[in-house]
Amino acid sequence: MSLSLKNVRYFIAVAEAESITGATQSLNISQSVVTEAIKALEADLGAQLFQRHARGMVLTHAGHQFLRHAHQILATVRNAQEALSARPDTMTGHLNVGVTAMMTGYFLPYLLDRYRRVFPKVEVRVIEDQRDYIEHLLVNGELDVAVLLVSNIENKQAIESEALMKASWRLWLPANHSLLQLSSISIKEIANEAMIMLKVDELEDNTTAYWRAAGLRPNTVMRTASVEAVRSLVATGAGLSILPDMLYRPWSLDGDRLEVRNIMEELPTVDIGIAWRRGLRMSEATQNFLVVAREHSRAHAK
């Protein structure tokens, strides 16, 4: 079935005028065109929309039902036309974005750059803090949206989220490590190895939980909030580290190489995404941010 919008408009005109003649006067077209349009619409829908009598046209039960939908159809089309006719570079507004530390360095800059290029006149304010405080600001309405590890969100009753990227955990090793001969490595095989923990965005809590689930305790020799420090320490042989694969780069700042291997155990992924207060009536700027974030994640995944 393929409905013609023109026929839908003609149908509404006849229903409101209750006659073909009245409809033609408002539409400024011939009676035969309107008559054929109504016949075509009834054929498409497989239902009789009008009862014809000498004094005009009266809607049937099916006609009354379709009239309500006909108004919605035209309203939806008008809204779509208005949205497409609006120029993104002229849109104004404010957008308050919450972000956690890891997202600031590895996801947000490129997302914001994409958003600002499309909507240059929207004023964007970014607040970086811990995940629990970002959740607090979202629930209080002080933030419009947040970029964080949605897999770690606690207040799921009040916060709605959408994962944009899923990262697996990988083991980082120096280029000369004996375990590199293996394609995948069990946590049990590194139980006695020196481990370096990254204490950013609760990643240390996540990895500690995985060690505990395996009945083991990591031999932690250092904890740091710097990803670059982890790279350098691993590359120079100070220890190993288990981190999401999106953070991996093969070279440290000093040019030392490090390698990665898959973890044999099935560990829950780290899900990067966007979050907003459940039930929030989003501003246009916020809706556009969600659209850009989804587009950015699809482009990043290619």
Side-chain angles (χ1 to χ4, degrees), residues 23-67:
T24 57
Q25 292 174 354
S26 63
L27 296 170
N28 195 28
I29 56 176
S30 67
Q31 291 189 23
S32 62
V33 172
V34 177
T35 300
E36 289 303 316
I38 298 302
K39 288 181 180 179
L41 188 60
E42 288 180 325
D44 286 337
L45 295 172
Q48 184 178 350
L49 302 176
F50 292 99
Q51 289 284 352
R52 282 82 168 169
H53 58 77
R55 289 173 298 186
M57 309 276 280
V58 177
L59 285 170
T60 63
H61 175 69
H64 279 290
Q65 286 184 311
F66 184 68
L67 181 61

Side-chain angles (χ1 to χ4, degrees), residues 136-201:
H136 168 74
L137 295 179
L138 281 174
V139 174
N140 281 5
E142 297 175 60
L143 292 175
D144 300 306
V145 68
V147 182
L148 69 171
L149 297 185
V150 296
S151 48
N152 285 354
I153 289 176
E154 291 184 350
N155 193 352
K156 296 183 179 180
Q157 292 78 22
I159 295 175
E160 194 165 350
S161 65
E162 179 178 336
L164 299 175
M165 294 175 56
K166 293 180 179 290
S168 300
W169 295 88
R170 308 282 290 280
L171 177 65
W172 294 15
L173 312 93
N176 59 353
H177 202 282
S178 60
L179 287 174
L180 287 175
Q181 61 185 323
L182 303 176
S183 59
S184 61
I185 299 169
S186 170
I187 289 180
K188 295 178 181 179
E189 292 178 281
I190 57 173
N192 296 322
E193 296 279 351
M195 299 300 298
I196 300 166
M197 292 289 181
L198 180 64
K199 53 178 184 177
V200 174
D201 282 23

